[in-house]
Amino acid sequence: MTSIGFEGIAINVWLVWVLPFVGAAIIAAVARAGHRARDYTAVGFALASAISAATLMPLALEGAEVHSQIPWISSLGLEAGVLADPLSIIMTNLVAWISFLIMVYSTGYMHGDKDLTRYWFFMLFFIGSMQLIVLSDNLLMLFFGWEGVGLASYALIGFWYYDRKKDYVGVEGHIAGGIPMWTSPTHAGMKAFLMTRAGDVMMLAGMFLIFVYAGTFGFVELAEDPAWAIAMSQQNLLVPAAVLLFGGAIGKSAQFPLNEWLLEAMTGPTAVSALIHAATMVKAGVFLVARIGPLFFALASAGAFSVEQFFEVIAWVGAITAFLLATQALVNPEIKKVLAYSTGSQIGYMMMGLGIAGLSVNFVEGFTAGFFLLISHAIFKASLFMGAGALLHGVGSRFMNDMGGLRHHMKKTYVFMLLAGLSLAAAPLITLGFWSKDAVFASVLESGYTFSQPLFIIAVVVAVMTAFYTFRMLGMAFFGKKSRHIEEMEHRGHHVHDAGPRMWVPYGILAIASIAIGVIGFVFEADLEHILGEYLAESFGIQGVEEASEEAPLTIAPEGDRTWFGLNPIAAIASIGAFAIGGALGYVFYIGRQANPQIISRSIVTRAIWKFFYNRWYLNSALYWGAVIGPLAIYRFIWRYFESTIIDGINPALQQSMSYMSGIVKAGQSGITQTYLFVFAVGIMIIVMLLFL
């Protein structure tokens, strides 16, 4: 249905993103009434937004949509609008409810912080900006939300701007390639802001390049008329424009090569980390690809041209990022950074699924796989981050070496992090992580893409590493003996215990959900594929396997791919095998403690590999040398030898020459007639000489 302005259910769509902004706008005034009123107001607005989002779910289940527009920039013929279709409705509910649980968690985690008014303002602003991204019906309006989440992330990553040593991330004294690898909150916030801006510049270029040809930013309008895409394709500009748009997603979702900011964004409060990694910011890039991917695929099919290179870029960037960050998670000693590496790696999987969709004989399958993993990752990663925050509260250290044996002292946190960790590691058949990751594996195998085998091998290797570093994290935190740090805490009279219910209930709900939905994961996946399949068919004319026919042959898949109750047997065996291998190694080294992980230091080869991973492949060092230190050295050279010598030298020389010329002119102005005649004669002689040249 299409509505004009604020009519009927369209009001609820607008309220989803408007309410958090309203809450942010009034939170400072409410704070005057007291801290409790301020905190409840912040959580209340997040809940109101979530309830508004929930009222839209019947539309998604029915395959309906709401498209509401109001006048905006009349001189350009642009309107502001919201588009609530099945894709955005599912996403907006995911964002809203996880954000609400994180806000509840924040009332316990941030209790007593003196800057809570600022915290609540930016958290609500963050949620509103993300919902604006999800529900916008055009690229320009989406970009306002895009910049909003960038601003909020900058403010919240650097929230503790006092730069106390305890708020740093990284190991103090760790230097790689001449670059310090530990970071203050203010530095991390600025780094995130600048690196994501690099992607935003590319995104702006892609947006306006499309606008020049299409005359609109609207998603619905762009899909209705393929003429602009055909014209751009004839000029070889469509794929570059699409890749430029994807550049924005690379920045926001911390994909290679703009991934380094995410790893140091852990300087912010853990609740902020949970919000960034589960509900906002990094998921924005994945959602953008999910929004524009079907558009380009359908336009290419209608216009009989290819955008295969665009989807190849998405798939391979995702695969490279997944592998790159998983290797670093294997060796990092900080629990939040392990989870951060994991997020970037899992988002790589999502990009792989969405990219392979456009390279596949069955677009719907790959698209569903990528979006399914987004949903499952949001649930279990939010739980893991909030659980990690409880550990930090209890132990007072971000390093897993300072933990150990905590399953006896923090039983609730142990159980919930174990459940969520099993989902991250993709424990077979009972976790959301298994079904969503298996869906990505299957979509790659069944794609028919020329290079599907290398992609599949990378995906399986990353799955092995994921299971390993998950069990490593759980083993170091909850198993083994108490660390010396905990013993010293107990000696001082501080006993480690579980967090209060305001903290453990939110991450407990999400952890249980990751298993409860996982038990019926095959049903959930089938329903999701049905909903998204109908959405793709109605909005873009992209047919699924069941609907494909001679009239719509875009997505016919090979027969007999799935034989095990809807599972691809090769993908299922690979997924189960990856969990078994990675989990077994993690258990042997970090849970059962049957082997000492220090064995890696006995070989010069394994020690070198460990150091290479620990130093983040030296990519962070290369970034600083190439983008900071190198340019600054060039600027200093220019200043020293050009500005100081040449530019600054020109001024005195010009001054002296003018003074000298002034003296000559002054000498001719003596007031003596003979002098004037002499000067006049010399002037005539010079003119005559010039005439004869």
Side-chain angles (χ1 to χ4, degrees):
M1 66 181 73
T2 301
S3 59
I4 301 173
F6 306 101
E7 298 177 354
I9 194 68
I11 298 175
N12 295 28
V13 184
W14 288 91
L15 286 176
V16 171
W17 67 268
V18 170
L19 282 171
F21 282 129
V22 173
I26 68 171
I27 198 68
V30 175
R32 295 175 178 271
H35 293 173
R36 181 171 296 182
R38 174 199 61 194
D39 298 350
Y40 288 168
T41 298
V43 176
F45 271 96
L47 176 60
S49 175
I51 292 173
S52 298
T55 63
L56 306 177
M57 278 304 296
L59 294 175
L61 298 176
E62 295 168 3
E65 69 175 40
V66 174
H67 186 201
S68 171
Q69 293 182 316
I70 58 174
W72 189 19
I73 308 175
S74 57
S75 59
L76 295 177
L78 299 180
E79 295 181 312
V82 291
L83 178 60
D85 52 25
L87 177 71
S88 59
I89 290 172
I90 294 172
M91 186 69 184
T92 197
N93 274 276
L94 189 72
V95 172
W97 288 104
I98 290 179
S99 297
F100 165 67
L101 290 174
I102 293 171
M103 294 288 275
V104 173
Y105 173 88
S106 295
T107 61
Y109 186 83
M110 297 297 291
H111 180 71
D113 195 291
K114 64 179 181 179
D115 294 322
L116 265 179
T117 301
R118 176 165 55 91
Y119 175 83
W120 291 127
F121 170 82
F122 280 112
M123 289 289 277
L124 287 168
F125 186 85
F126 211 161
I127 296 169
S129 297
M130 183 63 189
Q131 295 288 27
L132 179 58
I133 290 172
V134 173
L135 294 169
S136 292
D137 78 332
N138 64 84
L139 280 167
L140 185 60
M141 193 169 161
L142 179 149
F143 192 75
F144 279 90
W146 198 264
E147 292 304 291
V149 297
L151 174 62
S153 66
Y154 161 73
L156 290 169
I157 290 169
F159 180 76
W160 286 316
Y161 60 87
Y162 311 106
D163 285 352
R164 297 166 296 194
K165 286 292 180 69
K166 72 182 187 68
D167 298 325
Y168 278 46
V169 296
V171 179
E172 187 174 354
H174 177 204
I175 295 176
I179 303 299
M181 303 293 277
W182 73 98
T183 310
S184 68
T186 53
H187 184 95
M190 185 60 70
K191 184 174 180 178
F193 188 79
L194 292 176
M195 289 194 72
T196 54
R197 292 294 78 71
D200 295 353
V201 170
M202 290 189 283
M203 182 177 174
L204 266 179
M207 284 169 48
F208 285 106
L209 193 58
I210 290 173
F211 181 76
V212 168
Y213 282 84
T216 181
F217 292 107
F219 298 120
V220 174
E221 293 81 3
L222 289 171
E224 287 175 346
D225 182 11
W228 65 271
I230 295 172
M232 290 187 73
S233 178
Q234 291 171 346
Q235 298 294 322
N236 295 319
L237 288 175
L238 184 62
V239 171
V243 172
L244 284 170
L245 282 178
F246 179 59
I250 289 175
K252 278 291 184 289
S253 290
Q255 297 294 281
F256 178 81
L258 299 178
N259 57 282
E260 289 298 324
W261 71 265
L262 183 66
L263 316 175
E264 293 172 352
M266 299 301 98
T267 54
T270 306
V272 172
S273 302
L275 194 67
I276 289 175
H277 288 251
T280 60
M281 191 69 171
V282 295
K283 294 298 193 298
V286 183
F287 180 78
L288 176 65
V289 175
R291 176 60 87 192
I292 65 174
L295 172 66
F296 285 110
F297 183 82
L299 289 171
S301 300
F305 55 83
S306 174
V307 289
E308 183 175 305
Q309 298 95 327
F310 168 58
F311 289 102
E312 280 190 307
V313 170
I314 296 172
W316 281 104
V317 166
I320 292 168
T321 308
F323 181 80
L324 175 73
L325 297 186
T327 60
Q328 297 174 50
L330 297 174
V331 299
N332 201 275
E334 297 175 68
I335 190 166
K336 285 177 65 177
K337 289 191 81 171
V338 169
L339 293 173
Y341 286 120
S342 172
T343 294
S345 181
Q346 296 299 301
I347 287 177
Y349 267 132
M350 299 172 208
M351 294 296 188
M352 191 189 302
L354 294 173
I356 206 68
L359 304 168
S360 174
V361 291
N362 185 356
F363 185 92
V364 177
E365 181 183 318
F367 186 83
T368 302
F371 197 69
F372 185 21
L373 184 55
L374 184 153
I375 294 171
S376 63
H377 179 266
I379 293 172
F380 63 69
K381 187 52 67 70
S383 180
L384 284 169
F385 261 111
M386 288 189 279
L391 291 177
L392 266 63
H393 254 223
V395 177
S397 174
R398 63 184 183 271
F399 294 100
M400 293 184 289
N401 295 327
D402 290 332
M403 301 177 190
L406 291 177
R407 72 185 189 279
H408 302 299
H409 304 280
M410 303 181 71
K411 295 180 180 179
K412 295 185 183 70
T413 302
Y414 163 62
V415 170
F416 296 141
M417 286 195 72
L418 177 62
L419 296 179
L422 287 173
S423 201
L424 172 59
L429 304 178
I430 62 167
T431 63
L432 262 178
F434 169 79
W435 294 104
S436 54
K437 196 168 292 184
D438 177 81
V440 173
F441 285 9
S443 65
V444 172
L445 279 176
E446 298 170 11
S447 65
Y449 173 50
T450 305
F451 300 105
S452 61
Q453 287 188 352
L455 279 178
F456 181 71
I457 292 170
I458 292 173
V460 173
V461 171
V462 172
V464 173
M465 292 190 286
T466 302
F468 177 80
Y469 68 65
T470 302
F471 278 82
R472 172 179 176 265
M473 176 187 69
L474 295 172
M476 292 182 71
F478 295 106
F479 291 84
K481 298 179 181 178
K482 295 178 185 177
S483 67
R484 182 177 299 178
H485 174 76
I486 294 177
E487 290 177 347
E488 291 175 355
M489 287 177 59
E490 292 179 339
H491 181 70
R492 294 193 301 267
H494 179 80
H495 296 281
V496 180
H497 56 82
D498 260 315
R502 283 187 296 176
M503 289 176 63
W504 68 257
V505 168
Y507 61 80
I509 290 172
L510 293 172
I512 293 171
S514 70
I515 300 298
I517 302 176
V519 171
I520 56 168
F522 61 97
V523 176
F524 186 87
E525 180 184 356
D527 289 343
L528 182 65
E529 185 166 354
H530 175 71
I531 292 171
L532 294 180
E534 287 191 343
Y535 155 71
L536 292 171
E538 289 291 328
S539 300
F540 303 100
I542 300 174
Q543 301 295 328
V545 176
E546 294 81 0
E547 296 82 9
S549 64
E550 293 182 0
E551 291 75 24
L554 299 180
T555 56
I556 300 176
E559 295 182 1
D561 284 322
R562 301 198 175 202
T563 56
W564 290 6
F565 305 101
L567 289 173
N568 181 299
I570 299 176
I573 291 171
S575 185
I576 295 170
F579 172 80
I581 295 170
L585 290 172
Y587 182 88
V588 167
F589 283 105
Y590 293 100
I591 296 179
R593 309 289 173 118
Q594 296 160 358
N596 189 343
Q598 295 297 326
I599 192 174
I600 197 171
S601 63
R602 298 176 186 174
S603 166
I604 189 172
V605 175
T606 54
R607 188 164 65 246
I609 294 173
W610 182 93
K611 184 178 180 181
F612 183 68
F613 291 165
Y614 183 60
N615 288 334
R616 291 154 60 171
W617 290 46
Y618 294 94
L619 292 175
N620 189 61
S621 304
L623 170 70
Y624 276 91
W625 281 106
V628 181
I629 298 175
L632 284 176
I634 294 172
Y635 298 152
R636 291 191 187 101
F637 178 85
I638 293 173
W639 177 81
R640 177 177 297 177
Y641 296 104
F642 181 75
E643 181 130 0
S644 296
T645 304
I646 298 176
I647 301 299
D648 290 351
I650 286 174
N651 292 331
L654 183 63
Q655 179 184 352
Q656 291 173 7
S657 62
M658 290 299 102
S659 179
Y660 179 75
M661 292 297 296
S662 175
I664 295 175
V665 173
K666 181 179 179 182
Q669 303 298 319
S670 62
I672 302 172
T673 304
Q674 291 86 338
T675 303
Y676 294 151
L677 290 172
F678 175 76
V679 172
F680 181 72
V682 171
I684 290 177
M685 291 175 63
I686 292 173
I687 292 172
V688 171
M689 292 174 65
L690 290 173
L691 290 174
F692 281 99
L693 290 176

